[in-house]
Amino acid sequence: MAQIRLDKFISERTEYTRSQIKELAAKGRIRLNGEVVKKSDTKIDSESAKVEVCGQRIGSSRYKYILLNKPQDYVCSTDGKDGETVLKLIPPEIRTKGMFPAGRLDKDSLGALLITDDGELAHNLLSPKHHIPKIYIVKLARPFENNYINKFETGLTLADGETCLPARVKKAENSDKLAFVELHEGKYHQVKRMFAAVGNHVEVLMRVSLGALVLPEKLAIGECMELLHKDVENLFKEQDFESFCDRYSPIFSANLINNQL
Ligand code: URA
């Protein structure tokens, strides 16, 4: 049994400082195993305690894993130098002090972004050694051409001479200007540069999966959710690209079209 002070438990798992936690407890905003607890120095069992702050359950895990459906106009950084950061979109009840975006989406890109305070997991996720597949849906300026399939599969050479690992691409449903792309690496502006290399132009880009974790349909643009243990495991699994496209093409195509992106 790991005994820990309630305020330490909460401050390690949220952005609240100990003095804020004391205030919240005094106001009756903290519950321990369903009961209001007014003293923030109460000792709790960190493994079994059910702690809620302002109605939000605080997980027992030391680390937090949040999936954000990133909107356009937010930057994937922790400082605000180049614009509003994605961290602004995480509610304080689930944000922790050491959180950062694990990976990058351009300022004008949307979709699945993991935000965590687990440096080791982020390192493994981004490491080229693991080649975690990522799937994007793109809206193109010109119609999709079937010759892209072979060009992407054999490893494209970008305008600056850089070569890409083999990638998959497939036209999506409902429009000849929508396509899915699967990459196993993450070069700077890679998807945009790949389509530029075949003479097209990406107008909208949305990441729809990380490993086998698919952006949930119910997670609207700008919303986030805490991931469960099994979702985190899915980040490191693969899924079949063809089956993914067949299953999710109607959903994500409609998503882009309905959001008028
Ligand atoms: N490729 C891009 O070009 N932009 C992104 O945001 C992600 C992948």
Side-chain angles (χ1 to χ4, degrees):
M1 199 160 88
Q3 288 281 317
I4 177 175
R5 274 173 60 139
L6 179 63
D7 53 2
K8 181 166 162 51
F9 178 92
I10 298 171
S11 75
E12 281 180 352
R13 290 161 179 79
T14 67
E15 273 220 319
Y16 293 119
T17 60
R18 289 206 189 190
S19 57
Q20 287 170 328
I21 295 163
K22 196 171 174 184
E23 246 173 69
L24 286 167
K27 286 183 187 155
R29 307 296 308 276
I30 301 181
R31 281 177 183 270
L32 175 61
N33 301 325
E35 304 287 330
V36 168
V37 57
K38 295 237 167 180
K39 296 192 76 169
S40 61
D41 60 357
T42 305
K43 283 271 172 58
I44 65 163
D45 173 4
S46 65
E47 278 148 29
S48 67
K50 190 173 157 241
V51 177
E52 286 163 84
V53 179
C54 304
Q56 180 79 39
R57 174 85 193 264
I58 310 295
S60 61
S61 164
R62 174 69 185 80
Y63 296 116
K64 275 246 159 69
Y65 308 95
I66 291 171
L67 181 67
L68 171 71
N69 187 351
K70 179 193 171 297
Q72 290 175 316
D73 298 327
Y74 284 81
V75 291
C76 291
S77 68
T78 47
D79 58 49
K81 273 195 279 181
D82 301 314
E84 289 269 63
T85 94
V86 287
L87 297 178
K88 280 259 163 90
L89 298 162
I90 314 298
E93 298 81 29
I94 57 169
R95 194 163 62 203
T96 63
K97 295 170 195 84
M99 267 186 179
F100 58 93
R104 279 187 173 272
L105 282 174
D106 298 334
K107 189 171 179 178
D108 61 357
S109 298
L110 305 115
L113 181 71
L114 177 74
I115 298 188
T116 185
D117 48 8
D118 183 345
E120 192 179 335
L121 180 124
H123 172 80
N124 287 335
L125 193 68
L126 302 176
S127 150
K129 202 173 74 197
H130 287 95
H131 291 302
I132 304 294
K134 299 177 193 91
I135 302 180
Y136 305 82
I137 185 167
V138 289
K139 184 173 161 199
L140 299 168
R142 287 173 280 285
F144 181 86
E145 290 177 24
N146 282 330
N147 66 55
Y148 298 168
I149 298 172
N150 191 39
K151 287 182 179 167
F152 275 56
E153 244 167 30
T154 47
L156 271 178
T157 302
L158 304 175
D160 63 356
E162 211 175 345
T163 52
C164 300
L165 290 176
R168 308 283 304 273
V169 64
K170 190 177 161 96
K171 190 180 92 54
E173 278 184 21
N174 297 329
S175 164
D176 59 359
K177 292 185 182 163
L178 292 181
F180 285 101
V181 192
E182 183 189 51
L183 300 189
H184 289 262
E185 58 183 339
K187 298 185 198 300
Y188 181 66
H189 291 335
Q190 183 163 352
V191 174
K192 293 173 184 163
R193 289 157 73 210
M194 287 172 91
F195 279 99
V198 295
N200 211 320
H201 173 75
V202 172
E203 289 184 339
V204 181
L205 184 154
M206 178 182 243
R207 185 155 64 196
V208 288
S209 81
L210 289 164
L213 179 73
V214 180
L215 188 66
E217 201 183 338
K218 64 174 194 314
L219 196 67
I221 296 168
E223 283 184 0
C224 65
M225 59 182 271
E226 240 187 292
L227 293 180
L228 303 172
H229 184 67
K230 69 172 172 31
D231 301 319
V232 177
E233 284 186 344
N234 269 340
L235 291 168
F236 292 92
K237 291 187 185 149
E238 302 231 352
Q239 65 187 322
D240 180 65
F241 180 66
E242 290 292 329
S243 322
F244 174 91
C245 295
D246 291 346
R247 178 161 173 204
Y248 292 105
S249 191
I251 296 168
F252 289 119
S253 302
N255 200 324
L256 288 202
I257 293 163
N258 294 341
N259 280 301
Q260 298 183 334
L261 292 161

